[in-house]
């Protein structure tokens, strides 16, 4: 895989490289990668996330499996009392207002059918962003829940156990917005996508 020369490599950190086989392109968002992988034409492409990029042009890439773009992950903050769980919910919403999350996400607070922690505030997001969401929560100083768990496997369990949804909110990232399918497919031969 031959990567194009980047004028400002650090600005590509957190974005993706798509290896089409005959060529590759740098600078896709996770949503754009998911769109490419869903297409018949590009289903066999290889995907790499730019973990780090240095001014001299070096980049640290991490291979990402196509399946990862189809999964949802989450972080779940359990509380014994409803008021504490609602406070966690409002703190996450306020954090997103002052420091946008790294990806689109949903925050929900629910009463569960039966659990040690009867009320849970859930932060749900695309699985590819596990590391980014954890770093975002740390940067924002969020320290919710009497218990905290996370992962892909817990999303279905939370949805099945949620007896009463108390509140929910959609969270939106700042930064590079995904392009429409038409724009994306019209630009696949460009080496630099941003």
């Amino acid at each position: 895989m031959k990567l194009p020369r980047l004028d400002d490599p650090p600005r590509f950190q957190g974005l993706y490289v798509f290896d089409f086989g005959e060529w590759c392109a740098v600078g896709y968002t996770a949503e754009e990668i998911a769109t490419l992988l869903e297409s018949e034409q590009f289903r066999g492409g290889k995907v790499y996330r730019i973990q780090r990029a240095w001014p001299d042009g070096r980049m640290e890439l991490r291979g990402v499996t196509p399946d990862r773009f189809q999964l949802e992950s989450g972080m779940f903050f359990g509380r014994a009392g409803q008021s504490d769980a609602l406070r966690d919910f409002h703190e996450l919403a306020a954090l997103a207002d002052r420091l946008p999350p790294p990806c689109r996400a949903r925050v929900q607070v629910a009463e569960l059918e039966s659990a040690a922690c009867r009320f849970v505030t859930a932060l749900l997001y695309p699985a590819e962003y596990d590391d980014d969401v954890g770093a975002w929560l740390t940067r924002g100083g969020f320290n919710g829940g009497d218990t905290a768990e996370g992962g892909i496997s817990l999303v279905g369990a939370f949805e099945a156990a949620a007896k009463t949804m108390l509140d929910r909110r959609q969270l939106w990232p700042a930064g590079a917005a995904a392009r429409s399918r038409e724009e994306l497919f019209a630009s696949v031969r460009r080496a630099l996508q941003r």
Side-chain angles (χ1 to χ4, degrees):
M1 176 174 68
K2 183 165 173 41
L3 296 172
R5 178 169 156 57
L6 306 178
D7 289 333
D8 184 14
R11 81 179 180 92
F12 289 90
Q13 191 165 302
L15 294 173
Y16 295 83
V17 174
F18 196 92
D19 184 353
F20 292 90
E22 297 174 29
W23 77 95
C24 70
V26 177
Y28 288 109
T29 66
E31 291 85 0
E32 291 170 341
I33 292 292
T35 300
L36 289 171
L37 291 171
E38 288 169 0
S39 75
E40 187 69 35
Q41 186 178 7
F42 303 120
R43 182 168 289 143
K46 293 188 175 109
V47 179
Y48 303 89
R49 181 147 194 231
I50 303 168
Q51 293 295 108
R52 290 186 191 90
W54 291 272
D56 65 3
R58 291 178 299 130
M59 290 190 290
E60 178 184 325
L61 302 177
R62 181 190 68 183
V64 183
T65 63
D67 294 344
R68 186 112 177 120
F69 287 94
Q70 306 306 318
L71 300 173
E72 187 173 48
S73 190
M75 293 194 183
F76 304 89
F77 305 96
R79 295 283 193 175
Q82 180 175 338
S83 62
D84 290 333
L86 285 168
R87 186 174 61 250
D88 288 344
F89 171 85
H90 292 296
E91 284 180 18
L92 279 172
L95 172 59
D97 288 342
R98 85 172 182 277
L99 179 67
C103 60
R104 65 178 165 68
R106 297 177 290 140
V107 62
Q108 302 174 344
V109 60
E111 180 179 2
L112 303 185
E113 280 292 333
S114 61
C117 290
R118 188 167 175 123
F119 298 92
V120 172
T121 301
L123 180 62
L124 306 165
Y125 51 87
E128 175 51 25
Y129 287 97
D130 269 333
D131 295 340
D132 303 270
V133 170
W136 172 69
L137 291 172
T138 300
R139 244 186 355 267
F142 182 74
N143 193 19
D146 297 325
T147 65
E149 296 181 275
I152 294 167
S153 63
L154 296 176
V155 174
F158 167 75
E159 291 171 346
K163 173 178 149 183
T164 306
M165 194 62 63
L166 302 173
D167 209 343
R168 68 181 77 210
R169 181 170 168 201
Q170 182 72 44
L171 308 179
W172 299 101
R179 294 166 286 174
S180 72
R181 183 180 177 87
E182 294 76 26
E183 291 174 298
L184 182 63
F185 283 84
S187 71
V188 293
R189 286 282 182 175
R190 282 195 340 233
L192 298 179
Q193 295 293 314
R194 290 198 156 47

